[in-house]
């Protein structure tokens, strides 16, 4: 009987440790859980050295995936197939995701570094009280161009892009909201316009830009512009900053008809498996030294007031990348126009892309 009992204990112990071992393997292979942290961010939007530093400090293993538009990110998150612990949407996407119940509340007591964020970037209308999102980067959307390649011509407005002499010279990023917004602004409409006739007009105006459009691309836009494969790019400010460091013949303009002022914040999607780790990561990215290192690496503007002290003066005093409150007030933030209008923006943009082929 004794023998039988010890055999039973042995078998029980063995199966228990087997179960434990499988669990360990599962989590280290990235099935999510408390040893891993899964992050979903824009491409080229973090200094990889910071991921290593975070892993070292916390013992967590980071699984990192990227997207290149809010639309692509929202589709993936709402389908729920993949689960993420932290994601970095822009303001209108945050508002939409909140509406759809896709985000978890953030526990501010676990984010002490929140005190370093400039008040200007807190408590904005898309997320009052920052209940569901914490600032990461911010910026504008505008035109980067190579004056030398354009025979010395200067660009100051969206409407300049339709100049017939710029044939095959314009690169666009692949974002429905951004490109439709640019066309709306060029017509002096709001980039939050919901009037379908205006949206149609914007799409027709985009069709007229087609001869000048060389390609609609993702993050490779930076390489193409830096290598002078095209003279003009419609880009986010931080991408412009990064390529201007590489090629000094490039300049960035905020078009005079106005443009978009955007905010990208960190959120915890509802399907998150490591909520504690997500808070740790958000707090880590808000550490002023980490935030400064990240801003210097990617070229984007940090909302972290304390981090500005660690950044070169030429960068933080450059109105093109750190627009003053006065200038920023003249720019427009994307609003969430509701599901059907948003779908209409996407549809028109898709039609424009197909029209090119
Ligand atoms: C970085 C993309 C920045 C996103 N490649 C702007 N919202």
């Amino acid at each position: 009987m004794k023998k039988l009992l010890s055999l039973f204990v042995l078998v029980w112990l063995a199966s228990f440790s087997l179960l434990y071992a499988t669990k360990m393997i599962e989590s280290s292979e990235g099935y999510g859980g408390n040893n891993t942290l899964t992050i979903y961010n824009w491409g080229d939007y973090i200094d990889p050295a910071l991921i290593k530093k975070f892993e070292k400090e916390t013992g967590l293993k980071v699984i990192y995936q990227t997207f290149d538009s809010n639309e692509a990110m929202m589709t993936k998150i709402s389908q729920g197939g993949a689960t993420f612990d932290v994601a970095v949407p822009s303001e209108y996407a945050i508002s939409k995701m909140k509406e759809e119940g896709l985000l978890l509340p953030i526990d501010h007591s676990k984010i002490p570094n929140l005190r370093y964020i400039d008040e200007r970037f807190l408590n904005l209308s898309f997320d009052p009280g920052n209940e569901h999102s914490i600032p990461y980067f911010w910026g504008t959307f505008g035109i980067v161009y190579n004056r030398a390649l354009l025979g010395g011509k200067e660009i100051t407005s969206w409407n300049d892009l339709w100049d017939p002499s710029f044939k095959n010279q314009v690169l666009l990023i692949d974002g429905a909201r951004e490109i439709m917004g640019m066309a709306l602004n060029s017509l002096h409409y709001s980039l939050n316009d919901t009037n379908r006739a205006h949206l149609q007009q914007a799409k027709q105006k985009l069709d007229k830009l087609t001869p000048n459009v060389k390609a609609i691309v993702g993050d490779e836009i930076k390489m193409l512009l830096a290598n002078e494969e095209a003279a003009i790019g419609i880009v986010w400010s931080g991408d412009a900053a990064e390529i201007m460091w590489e090629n000094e013949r490039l300049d960035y303009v905020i078009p005079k008809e106005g443009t978009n002022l955007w905010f990208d914040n960190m959120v915890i999607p509802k399907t998150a498996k490591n909520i504690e780790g997500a808070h740790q990561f958000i707090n880590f990215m808000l550490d002023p030294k980490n935030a400064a290192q990240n801003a210097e690496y990617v070229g984007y503007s940090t909302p972290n007031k304390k981090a500005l002290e660690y950044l070169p003066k030429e960068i933080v005093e450059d109105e093109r990348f750190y627009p003053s409150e006065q200038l920023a007030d003249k720019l427009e933030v994307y609003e969430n126009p509701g599901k059907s209008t948003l779908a209409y923006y996407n549809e028109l943009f898709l039609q424009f892309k197909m029209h090119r082929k």
Side-chain angles (χ1 to χ4, degrees):
M1 184 65 195
K2 245 192 179 163
K3 236 186 189 164
L4 202 67
L5 193 72
S6 50
L7 190 70
F8 178 76
V9 170
L10 209 72
V11 170
W12 184 78
L13 272 177
S15 56
F16 182 75
S17 50
L18 196 70
L19 192 76
Y20 183 72
T22 344
K23 267 246 159 311
M24 290 293 290
I25 293 169
E26 266 183 14
S27 46
S28 65
E29 278 181 353
Y31 288 87
N34 290 337
N35 294 329
T36 58
L37 189 75
T38 315
I39 298 173
Y40 197 30
N41 200 355
W42 295 82
D44 293 348
Y45 217 31
I46 199 166
D47 177 353
L50 286 169
I51 301 181
K52 290 231 169 67
K53 185 176 172 198
F54 176 77
E55 287 182 322
K56 218 167 157 191
E57 271 181 24
T58 59
L60 292 171
K61 181 173 163 17
V62 170
I63 299 165
Y64 197 79
Q65 284 190 38
T66 62
F67 56 86
D68 54 21
S69 74
N70 280 299
E71 285 63 41
M73 177 270 311
M74 284 193 281
T75 308
K76 193 145 183 183
I77 289 191
S78 60
Q79 282 169 351
T83 63
F84 300 103
D85 298 311
V86 178
V88 191
S90 309
E91 65 305 292
Y92 74 98
I94 293 172
S95 151
K96 183 163 188 277
M97 292 168 89
K98 264 182 15 181
E99 211 171 83
E100 292 173 6
L102 293 174
L103 303 180
L104 291 180
I106 293 176
D107 181 350
H108 287 200
S109 73
K110 292 186 175 152
I111 320 280
N113 290 336
L114 190 56
R115 65 181 186 277
Y116 297 120
I117 298 291
D118 191 333
E119 280 192 9
R120 213 179 137 184
F121 303 104
L122 294 174
N123 201 20
L124 298 176
S125 63
F126 59 89
D127 186 25
N130 291 86
E131 279 177 21
H132 292 87
S133 75
I134 302 290
Y136 185 68
F137 280 125
W138 67 288
T140 58
F141 188 62
I143 305 170
V144 69
Y145 77 107
N146 189 320
R147 196 186 304 195
L149 290 187
L150 296 177
K153 269 199 184 163
E154 200 188 345
I155 292 185
T156 56
S157 75
W158 289 126
N159 278 292
D160 288 340
L161 301 178
W162 278 259
D163 184 327
S165 73
F166 297 163
K167 195 163 182 322
N168 221 15
Q169 284 299 342
V170 180
L171 294 171
L172 303 178
I173 59 121
D174 192 0
R177 198 69 205 263
E178 284 82 357
I179 302 305
M180 282 294 292
M182 176 276 273
L184 286 163
N185 274 163
S186 80
L187 292 162
H188 302 281
Y189 292 141
S190 157
L191 47 72
N192 291 308
D193 207 322
T194 57
N195 177 320
R196 301 231 163 175
H198 292 172
L199 294 177
Q200 274 289 349
Q201 228 179 307
K203 192 270 177 186
Q204 279 155 14
K205 179 132 189 207
L206 280 182
D207 287 341
K208 292 201 188 104
L209 187 65
T210 297
N212 287 1
V213 178
K214 186 178 176 108
I216 302 176
V217 285
D219 282 324
E220 61 274 32
I221 198 165
K222 290 185 283 185
M223 193 254 303
L224 293 170
L225 290 161
N227 292 344
E228 307 198 337
E229 301 277 343
I232 304 167
I234 312 304
V235 295
W236 293 291
S237 47
D239 284 358
E242 197 193 327
I243 48 181
M244 282 161 61
W245 296 334
E246 270 169 52
N247 183 333
E248 50 189 36
R249 305 211 301 171
L250 294 168
D251 196 5
Y252 179 69
V253 276
I254 294 181
K256 64 177 181 221
E257 299 94 335
T259 188
N260 164 237
L261 175 72
W262 54 261
F263 306 98
D264 288 346
N265 286 13
M266 294 177 274
V267 300
I268 308 180
K270 200 173 174 178
T271 48
K273 295 224 170 73
N274 189 351
I275 297 170
E276 187 60 37
H279 283 89
Q280 274 176 289
F281 180 78
I282 294 173
N283 195 51
F284 173 87
M285 292 313 293
L286 260 48
D287 170 89
K289 287 211 166 121
N290 294 344
Q293 179 179 334
N294 204 26
E296 198 160 5
Y297 183 90
V298 297
Y300 278 87
S301 313
T302 178
N304 192 309
K305 211 170 181 174
K306 183 82 184 157
L308 296 179
E309 293 172 19
Y310 303 114
L311 287 169
K313 265 208 156 37
E314 321 80 84
I315 296 184
V316 297
E317 285 175 0
D318 191 331
E319 266 259 26
R320 289 171 304 182
F321 302 115
Y322 282 89
S324 61
E325 267 183 272
Q326 249 169 331
L327 174 57
D329 280 348
K330 286 199 218 131
L331 306 178
E332 256 185 306
V333 180
Y334 295 127
E335 284 158 17
N336 171 13
K339 213 174 177 153
S340 78
T341 306
L342 216 47
Y344 195 55
Y345 270 80
N346 290 342
E347 188 188 315
L348 291 174
F349 182 59
L350 199 67
Q351 279 174 22
F352 158 65
K353 286 204 284 188
M354 301 209 320
H355 171 99
R356 297 185 57 246
K357 287 179 187 141

